[in-house]
Amino acid sequence: MFKESQLHQEFLDLEKAMRLLDMQLADALQRIRHSSSTDIIAQAKQDETFLLGELDRLMTRMRAIEGQLLQFQKTATRH
């Protein structure tokens, strides 16, 4: 049960981090679309690439946690 609650907490923490990444990604996309400076656009594109990688990593971990939590649920319903 302790492991399950740890996973729930980690999932909640990852959801918070995902919301922050989403906001940062939206900011980078706004800078790409609306900036007139090539330097700002280039930096925003680098930011976008980095943020997408972080978002992918985070979402992969979230799916793994969901799978583990489903295993806990299956085990609990069998007993």
Side-chain angles (χ1 to χ4, degrees), residues 20-30 48 51-52 55:
L20 177 61
L21 284 173
D22 281 340
M23 289 188 306
Q24 292 171 332
L25 186 57
D27 177 65
L29 292 172
Q30 288 287 72
E48 177 191 27
L51 292 166
L52 287 172
L55 193 57

Side-chain angles (χ1 to χ4, degrees), residues 4 8 66-78:
E4 187 176 1
H8 277 289
E66 286 177 332
Q68 290 175 335
L69 290 171
L70 282 173
Q71 290 301 317
F72 280 116
Q73 288 176 352
K74 285 181 183 179
T75 302
T77 57
R78 289 184 189 154

Side-chain angles (χ1 to χ4, degrees), residues 11-28:
F11 191 85
L12 293 174
D13 293 343
L14 290 172
E15 282 184 324
K16 288 179 190 176
M18 187 172 68
R19 284 192 294 274
L20 177 61
L21 284 173
D22 281 340
M23 289 188 306
Q24 292 171 332
L25 186 57
D27 177 65

